[in-house]
Amino acid sequence: MQNNSTKTKEMFIVRALEKILADKDIRRSHHSQLKKSCDTALEQIKAELINAGQIAEGNELPCAALPLPKNDAASIINAETYFLPFELACKSRSPRIVVTALDCLQKLIAYGHLTGAIQDSANPGHLLIDRIVITIYGCFNGPQTDEGVQLQIIKALLTVVTSQHVEIHEFTLLQAVRTCYDIYLSSRNLVNQTTARATLTQMLNVIFARMENQVYEVPPTPSTTTTINGSIGNSEGNGEDLTTSAPTVAETMDSDEAIASELLGEILTAAFNEVMKEQNSDSELVEMEGSVNGNGSVDSLHSDHDSVELQSENDAIVTAKFTHILQKDAFLVFRALCKLSMKPLPDGQPDPKSHELRSKVLSLHLLLLILQNAGPVFRSNEMFVMAIKQYLCVALSNNGVSLVAEVFELSLSIFVALLSNFKVHLKRQIEVFFKEIFLNILEANSSSFEHKWMVIQALTRICADAQSVVDIYVNYDCDFSAANLFERLVNDLSKIAQGRQALELGANPMQEKSMRKRGLECLVSILKCMVEWSKDLYVNPNMPAPALQVQSLQSPTSTTQETQLSDNVDALSAHNSSLRSTHGGSSHSLNSYGSVKNQELLDLPEALEERKMRKEVMETGIELFNRKPQKGVQFLQEKQLLGNSCQDIARWLHDDDRLDKTVVGNYLGENDDHSKEVMCAYIDAFDFRHLEVVAALRILLEEFRLPGEAQKIDRLMEKFASRYCECNPQNQLFQSADTVYVLAFSIIMLTTDLHSPQVKHKMTKEQYIKMNRGISDSKDDLPEEYLSSIYDEIAEHEIKMKNNTTMLMAPKPAGKQPFITEKRRKLLWNMEMEVISLTATNLMQSVSHVKSPFTSAKHLEHVRPMFKMAWTPFLAAFSVGLQVCDDPEIATLCLDGIRCAIRIACIFHMSLERDAYVQALARFTLLNANSPINEMKAKNIDTIKTLIMVAHTDGNYLGSSWLDIVKCISQLELAQLIGTGVRPQFLSGAQTTLKDALNPSVKEHIGETSSQSVVVAVDRIFTGSMRLDGDAIVDFVKALCQVSVDELQQTQPRMFSLQKIVEISYYNMERIRLQWSRIWQVLGEHFNTVGCNSNEEIAFFALDSLRQLSMKFMEKGEFSNFRFQKDFLRPFEHIMKKNNSPAIRDMVVRCIAQMVNSQAHNIRSGWKNIFSIFHLAAGDHEEQIVELAFQTTGKIIGDLYRRQFAVMVDSFQDAVKCLSEFACNARFPDTSMEAIRLVRNCAQCVHDAPQLFADHAGMENDASVAEEDRVWVRGWFPMLFSLSCVVNRCKLDVRTRGLTVLFEIVKTHGDSFKPNWWKDLFNVIFRIFDNMKLPEHVTEKSEWMTTTCNHALYAIIDVFTQYFDVLGHLLLEELFAQLHWCVQQNNEQLARSGTNCLENLVISNGFKFNEVTWDKTCQCILDIFSATLPKELLSWRPAKSNEQQLQLQHQLPRRASSTVHSTPLEAHNHFEGLHIKCVVQLELIQTMDNIVFFPATSRKEDAETLAQAAADLTGRQTQHQQLQLDCQREEQGMYGYLRTRQLFTLAECLMQSHRFAKRFNADQDQRNLLWRAGFKGTVKPNLLKQETASLACVLRIFFKMYSDENRRSDWPGIEQELVQVSKEALAYYLSLQSEAHREAWTSLLLLILTRLLKMSDARFATHVSNYYSLLCEMMCFDLKPELRSVLRRVFMRIGPVFNIMNVNVK
């Protein structure tokens, strides 16, 4: 190794020295020292070679390949010895010698033979390497330096800077960089220029890479080399690599550039190979080198240089804020470049080859390189951030408006780099750059195309970064004091994309078009960023649920290629975001490194949104203020954004730049008190201390535009003078504020005079001085010199407001634009650029020390307000793009943008925005009704594909927008019909246009609608519907149904959507029930509508589809207590109800019959609908329908009830209702009878399984019903009720059958009925008698009463008798009331039946009656008696009758035309009623007799009495037999169960009837009247029977009681009553005139006299003594023999009883 080292050194040094000595110039005298030095060095080397072996034994070689140890004394001497000849050679004027020396030095340094890391003996305190570098760059003497020397200098300096063997810092490093920079600028050789530039690039890369690596304490060797090498090869990671960094300089000089690259490559390859060799050598040495690098002594050596550098840079800001010397190195280089970039260019258009321009371009290039590769240290170190703010940003504000395209472009690139890497520190700077440069250039009318193009290029890069886009919104649009950058940017881009921006200078149509494209690209990028940002909220319905997070990064393999393409937004964003999250963490941790404490605010979306809203209100207020100041202030105070005090308002006027300065001036000058107070507060806020009046006035008037009115100026100046004196009390010049006031006024006048173009004759200085004489309060005037200086200053510098760029940039009136020539526009643009530059620079300088907190956006939620604010300009741009341009690229961009916008609107549920975009998309498909389809172009086909894609990927979020999509899909089918050659006449918008008539390209495009990809994509929407979520599928189905309705309403209806509805029903039937029921709610309604369509074909299709779906649905079965089937079958029911077409109704019944036959085992809740449908069919006129329905119903009840009654219990009520309907269909009597029979079967089912009804708590309203009552409520009652309906509705034979079955069921199964059930039942049964329910027609009514009521009445009594124990106390009163009603009807049959039934009831059950029941029974009889007493017989008069006739004649013709003969009919009806009452009275008397004494008893008794009297005549029968008969009879009647008072009541009632009859019979006139009127036919009316029967009954009751031992206590009363009645009867008999009448009384007299004879003597005596005279009177009449016989016996008995005689009567 020693030998190698020596050889290497020999090779380098000896060869170089020999070459120098061999040069012919060495002989010249001024080279003597050099020659001598070379000779000495050569001798030394030779000596060293001789002694090489000995030295090697003790020490390492001093010239080893690695750096020499610093403490090696020998190496000091050797190194200096070697260096001296080269130093001298470099100073020689011979280029060849210099080149040789430099070349050798470069190699020695490159291979580590010369490190210079020792003290410089000539310059103590400095290292030798500094001297070496000074020597190297000292070789460069400006442009005249030899080109070969230049190249060697570049090589040597690059080696020094990049070598890892030597270290140079601060001034030395800076000089090395500067020398390369100067060579680039000065050299005339293109190869040298290019090499110098590439060398600079490498140097900077190394300097900054070393600084970054030092932080991690990584040994710099490998990383440095990699950076160097990487930069040569490909310059990866640099935005500007070697090849692109200098295209402008060497565009035509490829060969030169190639030579330069080659040379540089040689240098670097050599260095790299050396490094690689050393890297593989011993690792200890590497560590050693690291320690040398990091040695503290090295740093301390540079303290002098620090001060040198500071002085040389003349900048006191740089202090020791660096943690390492490498940071300081980088800082110095960076700052130097910034300053170089700030140097101004000469006026006018600069020469591209001028030094100034090339310097500026190079410095900007190098800055861009540094910024693009900025590492974490650079990004976060306070010194670098400060340098960027103070130097770079100010430089940018200058260069950012440069008219030189290259400078402008580089400035923009640097700004983009700053935005991506340093935005956290540069909040205000970014705002200035955006607002004053970017957007102003975009908005300016006169800006050149080139400038606009570059701005939009830069924007394209910015808009592609999601973080930047969201950060701009969060930090500026949501910042109260910042400009709305995002909003303004989007609006400007939208205008550009629409082609609405100002016409640029020198742009041709192609450029205009590319500008539009770029605008669109930016907008689409922004939207893609927003999509990416919020992608975590998006759920793709077609993606499987993410099992692992990793899967989301891969595109789903299952979907087709097209999906993958279409979803690239999502796939890319997923990938990017994963990158964002992986790098995010590290970058934040690195950002926080260093000393910059830039406070970060949290980006809470709610707080930001609230701030944004307040900002919007503020902006509204400012806008209002700029129009009407008072209103603006009031508005902001109301919104609590401005304080109420004048100080608050004044502060606001000061601080807010958005206010119109003219308006502010006018507002402050107003004469009202409020404005004056504000003005005082405003001026009081200024500090005029130690200022001259002009300076103070200048400060004041910079803030607002002085109003034009003198009075306003007067007020302002008055206050100004007061404030000025207040701030400067020591000022000797002005004795009072008056002087200042007048002077200020005069200064304003002077300014106007000197600087207003309207003033022709300007004021002279003398005039001005003269004008101000005598204004001071003191004796002396203001000094002339003072006034003269004021005049001069105003003449030179006008007092004016601060530049207000917004005013400058205001658009010019559109009308004048065309008249501006191109030259004038350029001039305007140059002027405008100057203004922009000035403003931007001023603003940049003003904010260079401001630290504004920057918010790094993190929340997904920010996208919502961003989109809400910007959606309209986006939509406008895309709509115009699609509408106006046919360029496929523009169309693709617009469609991409719309897709992204829809995605965002969907994710954040912004329905208004979503609908707007979807509608726009739908409109551009040209498929909707009012678009002409014959204008179809490629972009429209792409729009269709996009729309389908949206439906596919965002289906879950589309909501009501589904309607537009489904409409388009429906219309697409029409377009496909044209495309495939079908020619329907109903094409929207192109009714008459057929395919043949279409343009071939249109034909092709329309044909594309039928392409495989489109058809498959459309199908995928429908098949994919099963992957939509619960809400989305409902929205989809709603839309589909609505479109289907529209299709069917057309003149030529289509069933496309209807078919699709059926399809999606199949696809979605497996959904959970909850979702399916919501879907069916919509579908069911639709089927209802379609099934009732007047077009039978459509209705048939709907029904058939419904049938198939139902079959499939039924197969799934159903658990009990669910009702999905019920909902599902409801459309059948609806169609049956609403569709009158027999064919359709028949089809419904057939569908249901088929369902019952094939799916009966699966049907549960559906039975209700089935019976409901059959119920509707039962009333049909068509025999076929009724028959099929009944046949199926019969099968259900006959067969299925037997097998599966348990699952059908719920529908039992519907079943009986259905049967009742069949029974009531009068057209088919056989069916009716059969239906009633089936009801009886149902009764058996209920009887057999009552527990089923209890177990199955029905769903509707059974919750409140007790368990034991359920069988009644849901079983018995509906069935009995349905039978009662049959009775009420049907013809005689059916209703009789119904009634029979009804009572049959009650009698058969009544023993299981509970009391409350009976009540319900009788409520229904009694309704049969309800007058309101009876038919109106008289004959029908009478038939009804005679048959049904009669039948029912007897059946009721039978039931009562059968179940009296239960019913007696429950319903007896109601029954009595019913009987009372029957008796009152104008129907003799019914009235008789009523009394008969009462009789039957009491006779059958009287023995079970208690006293209360008997009381009620007696009361009932009493009520009936009094109600049926025909009192009108006594009062009826013909006159009244005539009156009625007259009235009837007036009234009736109006009511009906058939009542001409109604008057006699009415009278007849009236008599009929009276007649029935008479009949009822008789019946009642008979009934009472039968109840008390048992039927026929009284009749037999009368016959026997008569027979006995007759026998008495012949003397055949004995009294003993008679007594026996009495005994037998007594046992059967109810007499024994009745109390005395009850019998008295009955007797009293009978007496009333008797007395009424007597009255009537005695009233001969009335009877004659009635007779003449036609009452009771031909015979003169009488009530003889009533008269005698009632009395006979009373007498029997009394006689019975009189002889009843049990009533002994009541005998006195009974006797009294009996005497009274008998006496009355006998007296009445004696008064009778008519023979017939007396004859009728025979039996009565027989009864009284016979019973009299049976009494004991005492009683006989009592009675006879009362009747004696009357009995005597009777003798005068011609009595019947039997009566005479009994009377004789009475008289004969009187004798012995009264002791007149003692003869036995017998």
Side-chain angles (χ1 to χ4, degrees), residues 1587 1627-1634 1637-1639 1641 1677:
E1587 183 182 285
Y1628 179 71
Y1629 178 78
L1630 293 175
S1631 69
L1632 291 176
Q1633 303 298 317
S1634 154
H1637 199 155
R1638 281 205 296 275
E1639 197 173 314
W1641 269 70
F1677 289 100

Side-chain angles (χ1 to χ4, degrees), residues 145 391 456 541 549 568 625 818 1404 1578 1694:
T145 311
Y391 305 115
I456 209 155
Q549 205 55 42
N568 59 357
F625 178 87
S1404 306
T1578 50
I1694 290 171

Side-chain angles (χ1 to χ4, degrees), residues 812-1065:
K812 313 291 181 289
K816 295 185 183 173
Q817 279 182 357
F819 303 113
I820 300 174
T821 62
E822 197 65 15
K823 194 172 177 186
R824 172 128 176 85
R825 271 184 80 158
K826 275 188 178 163
L827 192 65
L828 273 175
W829 175 230
N830 293 354
M831 284 164 59
E832 232 161 272
M833 284 297 249
E834 277 175 35
V835 173
I836 292 173
S837 175
L838 188 64
T839 310
T841 310
N842 290 342
L843 284 170
M844 280 294 186
Q845 285 168 342
S846 68
V847 297
S848 63
H849 294 86
V850 177
K851 278 188 184 176
S852 283
F854 190 90
T855 306
S856 275
K858 296 181 186 67
H859 283 82
L860 306 176
E861 193 56 37
H862 297 310
V863 173
R864 194 175 59 77
M866 282 172 79
F867 187 67
K868 198 160 194 67
M869 182 178 77
W871 72 275
T872 37
F874 281 130
L875 182 58
F878 300 144
S879 300
V880 170
L882 278 175
Q883 185 118 35
V884 179
C885 296
D886 292 339
D887 185 301
E889 215 177 316
I890 288 183
T892 307
L893 282 169
C894 293
L895 292 173
D896 271 1
I898 292 178
R899 264 199 69 199
C900 294
I902 291 173
R903 169 72 50 86
I904 294 162
C906 284
I907 292 174
F908 292 101
H909 305 290
M910 301 161 82
S911 50
L912 170 74
E913 292 81 352
R914 178 200 66 211
D915 292 352
Y917 277 96
V918 173
Q919 281 160 12
L921 205 51
R923 200 166 57 248
F924 290 118
T925 59
L926 290 193
L927 290 173
N928 41 5
N930 38 14
S931 309
I933 203 164
N934 49 2
E935 289 175 15
M936 186 75 74
K937 293 175 183 166
K939 64 180 179 183
N940 304 113
I941 298 295
D942 291 338
T943 308
I944 292 170
K945 289 177 180 173
T946 305
L947 188 72
I948 294 170
M949 190 49 59
V950 165
H952 185 60
T953 54
D954 299 316
N956 277 339
Y957 305 94
L958 286 171
S960 55
S961 297
W962 268 116
L963 183 59
D964 298 291
I965 293 176
V966 177
K967 269 184 187 166
C968 286
I969 290 171
S970 164
Q971 292 295 324
L972 182 62
E973 191 230 8
L974 268 185
Q976 287 167 353
L977 292 178
I978 307 176
T980 50
V982 180
R983 303 178 187 174
Q985 278 71 51
F986 48 89
L987 291 173
S988 57
Q991 278 80 356
T992 54
T993 312
L994 301 178
K995 192 183 179 206
D996 297 338
L998 293 173
N999 173 331
S1001 70
V1002 173
K1003 207 184 277 190
E1004 184 191 327
H1005 294 316
I1006 293 179
E1008 207 173 312
T1009 57
S1010 317
S1011 67
Q1012 188 62 25
S1013 60
V1014 174
V1015 173
V1016 167
V1018 169
D1019 276 351
R1020 205 171 54 194
I1021 292 176
F1022 294 104
T1023 52
S1025 67
M1026 55 194 182
R1027 289 190 289 275
L1028 294 174
D1029 66 30
D1031 292 328
I1033 184 67
V1034 175
D1035 291 324
F1036 178 50
V1037 166
K1038 276 183 184 164
L1040 201 50
C1041 290
Q1042 199 170 328
V1043 172
S1044 174
V1045 168
D1046 296 344
E1047 283 181 358
L1048 296 171
Q1049 281 171 350
Q1050 289 166 3
T1051 44
Q1052 295 195 349
R1054 288 167 44 225
M1055 291 197 276
F1056 171 74
S1057 297
L1058 188 56
Q1059 287 164 341
K1060 291 299 175 192
I1061 286 173
V1062 178
E1063 275 177 41
I1064 63 159
S1065 303

Side-chain angles (χ1 to χ4, degrees), residues 504-538:
E504 298 83 8
L505 281 173
N508 59 37
M510 280 304 292
Q511 289 174 323
E512 288 277 351
K513 194 168 185 181
S514 12
M515 182 73 94
R516 284 187 73 170
K517 274 186 199 164
R518 270 300 147 93
L520 279 171
E521 273 170 33
C522 290
L523 290 175
V524 173
S525 285
I526 291 173
L527 282 170
K528 281 185 176 169
C529 289
M530 287 157 92
V531 168
E532 180 197 327
W533 191 264
S534 54
K535 73 167 195 334
D536 293 347
L537 295 172
Y538 167 70

Side-chain angles (χ1 to χ4, degrees), residues 309-329:
E309 181 59 22
L310 286 171
Q311 287 153 13
S312 71
E313 285 289 347
N314 193 18
D315 192 338
I317 293 172
V318 183
T319 49
K321 284 191 181 173
F322 303 108
T323 55
H324 196 277
I325 188 72
L326 291 172
Q327 289 184 11
K328 188 169 182 184
D329 291 345

Side-chain angles (χ1 to χ4, degrees), residues 587-605:
S587 72
H588 282 302
S589 57
L590 292 173
N591 271 338
S592 58
Y593 167 85
S595 54
V596 177
K597 303 280 188 293
N598 193 68
Q599 66 192 96
E600 274 216 24
L601 299 174
L602 286 172
D603 63 331
L604 299 170

